[in-house]
Amino acid sequence: MKFKFVAFSIAAIVVVAITGFHSTQSQTKKAVTDSTLSDSERDLLSEINLARAHPLTYASYLEKLRPMFDGKRYKESSGNSFTTEEGWSAVDDAIAFLRAAKPSGPLAISRGLCLAAVAHVKDQSATGATGHKGSDSTFLEQRLKPYGAWDGGIGENITYGNESARERLLTWLIDDGVPSRGHRRRLLSGDYRAAGISCGPHPEFGAMCVLTLAGGFTDVQAATSTANKPTTTKTTSGNTNSRIKSRKM
């Protein structure tokens, strides 16, 4: 399996914890179906939900990478090699985490969470910026507010580059160079039950994907997908790579 490993990363991870999670949160009284997603978005969501349901299977995928490491160097079967920050130890840590992880249910797509992800992709597609901060200095919490209200906590993972869905997911699971392993923990956490996802072009890295997560999300139906002032009608729902490097946030 071809896998572009992380050669560098910026550990600017957004997590907003709101008074803890509740066992009876609203998640999806009326969920947006994954038919509204593009193929690349649907593939990434599918990989995430498979990893949540079958963490041991994804541990086995990572185990197959062992022969490709020489210290901190990772060499693909194609001959391309990359320098990682931690080497095999980060992968081994991810394997141990996945072996100990309990299966969790699938993430349900939320319209509001998707709209916040779309807004960030459109912004950075135009500006070429990276990271969680928008060109208007907003972060995920502010981007979500026009589209509804969340339960529990919220979080955001971003990946830049033209990798496959599985490569993006494995990069997040390994979390090379991120001491908190925040990407990995959020992806497999049963506390997150609703998600939004958007993938689009990026002027420097070719492509990018934004994943937004929440314990639950109550959508506010906007007049248009870009409206700043939603109506009162409500429903409830629910990394950079060139040939030699990749980035996650």
Side-chain angles (χ1 to χ4, degrees):
M1 178 183 65
K2 185 177 180 182
F3 179 66
K4 288 184 173 62
F5 200 79
V6 179
F8 67 93
S9 63
I10 300 175
I13 303 170
V14 169
V15 178
V16 181
I18 312 294
T19 45
F21 294 87
H22 306 287
S23 59
T24 58
Q25 296 171 154
S26 63
Q27 181 195 352
T28 56
K29 289 184 181 177
K30 185 177 180 181
V32 176
T33 67
D34 67 0
S35 63
T36 63
L37 303 178
S38 68
D39 288 345
S40 59
E41 293 161 352
R42 193 178 301 110
D43 288 347
L44 183 53
L45 179 65
S46 176
E47 286 288 342
I48 293 168
N49 282 336
L50 284 170
R52 287 169 66 89
H54 307 288
L56 289 177
T57 298
Y58 282 76
S60 71
Y61 293 155
L62 294 180
E63 288 168 348
K64 295 176 182 178
L65 301 178
R66 185 65 184 93
M68 301 178 184
F69 278 88
D70 181 8
K72 292 186 177 181
R73 297 292 292 174
Y74 174 83
K75 187 174 182 179
E76 293 183 329
S77 57
S78 64
N80 292 329
S81 62
F82 313 93
T83 300
T84 68
E85 292 192 26
E86 300 176 65
W88 175 252
S89 64
V91 187
D92 197 40
D93 183 59
I95 292 170
F97 179 87
L98 290 165
R99 285 175 175 166
K102 295 180 179 179
S104 54
L107 295 168
I109 286 295
S110 157
R111 179 178 180 273
L113 289 170
C114 281
L115 289 174
V118 167
H120 200 46
V121 170
K122 286 184 176 179
D123 184 16
Q124 295 193 341
S125 292
T127 64
T130 61
H132 298 283
K133 187 177 182 179
S135 60
D136 58 357
S137 297
T138 60
F139 287 92
L140 176 60
E141 183 177 7
Q142 292 76 37
R143 287 195 293 273
L144 280 174
K145 286 181 178 178
Y147 306 119
W150 61 87
D151 298 318
I154 57 175
E156 181 177 76
N157 283 8
I158 309 175
T159 175
Y160 300 87
N162 291 303
E163 297 157 316
S164 69
R166 182 161 297 173
E167 287 169 339
R168 293 180 191 279
L169 176 63
L170 294 183
T171 297
W172 278 333
L173 290 175
I174 294 169
D175 243 358
D176 179 53
V178 182
S180 70
R181 309 301 193 204
H183 300 89
R184 173 201 305 168
R185 295 182 185 280
R186 281 199 300 284
L187 286 172
L188 270 66
S189 173
D191 291 333
Y192 292 115
R193 300 182 180 90
I197 190 166
S198 178
C199 297
H202 191 276
E204 182 177 357
F205 299 113
M208 65 178 291
C209 291
V210 174
L211 172 72
T212 52
L213 297 166
F217 200 83
T218 300
D219 294 330
V220 176
Q221 296 295 333
T224 68
S225 62
T226 58
N228 291 321
K229 295 183 179 181
T231 68
T232 58
T233 302
K234 296 184 179 181
T235 60
T236 301
S237 66
N239 267 317
T240 281
N241 137 311
S242 64
R243 292 183 63 188
I244 60 171
K245 62 186 178 182
S246 62
R247 176 180 289 175
K248 64 181 184 309
M249 292 185 175

